[in-house]
Amino acid sequence: MRLLGLAYDRDMTAPSLWSEFVERKIGTALMLDKGECNGSYSDACVLLSSLLSGIAAELWPGKGIDRCRFVELWARFADPKLQPALISVPLLRRHFHETGRSDDASILEATRPEMFDLGNGCLILLGSQVDMTEGDVLALPLPAASKKLRSFSYPAIFYSHVRSSLTHEYKLSDDAASHYMTRQKANVSYVNRSDPEASELSRRLIHFHMVWLAEVARSIASNVAGHVDNYEILPRPKQWWVNG
């Protein structure tokens, strides 16, 4: 069998080959992010995205489901300790403002007054401090459906604003940043960008820190190793996580 272009020799254990294959890809991505081989953060994201997209396509083959299976893979198989599927509060908040749902934005802002009150527009936010679990957001008196919330989850945001934007437009979307503004250790952080046309002086762009992305990819690969070893094709969910 060939998986992601890797030929498996039955005289060797699939998990060891799988681990070596994954670690090489992750190691290369980390080097690219550091500028080796004239690489960049974007190059590293393309490589990790292709790794995850390839795994998802092997587990759920078919056409027209790339986003669904990519997000499904991340949400289902990433280590929960990494908080891999939090809801991006800054991006959801801006969505509320831009779609005329100021009252909903105010409800969201009230959960983080020290971050969104007047005068805090230039505060550098870390995902671990500002972002919320889906359950916490659903507990708020908001009319947003689960499906809409999950489009603002880390895997869905990464797919749309990083993976797909780089693949189809050669750049990150206007809601994502390739450089961070903090030296603090973080999984996700937000970059303040001047935006004269916005209601505030600045907007917040999401940045996925590369070391954390590598850990997410590594944990996913580890958790699907059994399926890889058994050459499994997983049944499609009755409802994909991103649409749940």
Side-chain angles (χ1 to χ4, degrees), residues 53-241:
S53 288
I55 295 172
E58 292 284 350
L59 296 178
W60 297 288
K63 297 182 179 180
I65 57 170
D66 193 63
R67 175 175 177 266
C68 291
R69 66 191 177 195
F70 184 98
V71 176
E72 188 80 19
L73 179 77
W74 184 316
R76 186 192 298 192
F77 291 108
D79 187 345
K81 293 180 181 178
L82 297 171
Q83 295 185 302
L86 294 182
I87 304 298
S88 172
V89 170
L91 268 60
L92 179 60
R93 167 181 177 258
R94 187 164 73 245
H95 169 73
F96 284 157
H97 277 300
E98 292 177 347
T99 55
R101 297 171 59 181
S102 298
D103 291 342
D104 293 340
S106 296
I107 292 172
L108 202 58
E109 291 164 2
T111 67
R112 304 286 192 267
E114 73 282 5
M115 300 179 187
F116 295 119
D117 277 353
L118 189 65
N120 291 333
C122 293
L123 184 67
I124 297 174
L125 304 180
L126 304 183
S128 59
Q129 298 171 340
V130 65
D131 294 332
M132 305 171 71
T133 66
E134 180 187 21
D136 287 340
V137 179
L138 288 174
L140 300 174
L142 294 170
S146 179
K147 176 180 178 179
K148 193 63 179 177
L149 287 180
R150 289 180 176 179
S151 68
F152 289 93
S153 67
Y154 288 168
I157 291 171
F158 184 86
Y159 181 87
S160 297
H161 299 285
V162 180
R163 180 256 182 222
S164 292
S165 196
L166 285 171
T167 300
H168 301 296
E169 300 177 20
Y170 303 102
K171 64 183 181 67
L172 301 176
S173 82
D174 292 338
D175 286 324
S178 60
H179 295 82
Y180 49 80
M181 294 184 68
T182 178
R183 292 186 179 276
Q184 298 183 63
K185 183 179 179 180
N187 300 340
V188 166
S189 62
Y190 292 87
V191 173
N192 300 319
R193 183 71 53 82
S194 177
D195 188 356
E197 297 182 1
S199 58
E200 300 175 291
L201 292 178
S202 66
R203 58 189 285 148
R204 282 162 168 141
L205 315 183
I206 193 168
H207 175 80
F208 296 91
H209 288 245
M210 185 54 58
V211 172
W212 178 75
L213 282 175
E215 286 302 313
V216 168
R218 183 177 287 115
S219 72
I220 290 172
S222 176
N223 288 329
V224 302
H227 300 299
V228 172
D229 189 21
N230 293 318
Y231 310 145
E232 288 184 52
I233 292 177
L234 300 183
R236 292 190 187 185
K238 292 182 178 180
Q239 181 166 260
W240 295 101
W241 185 87

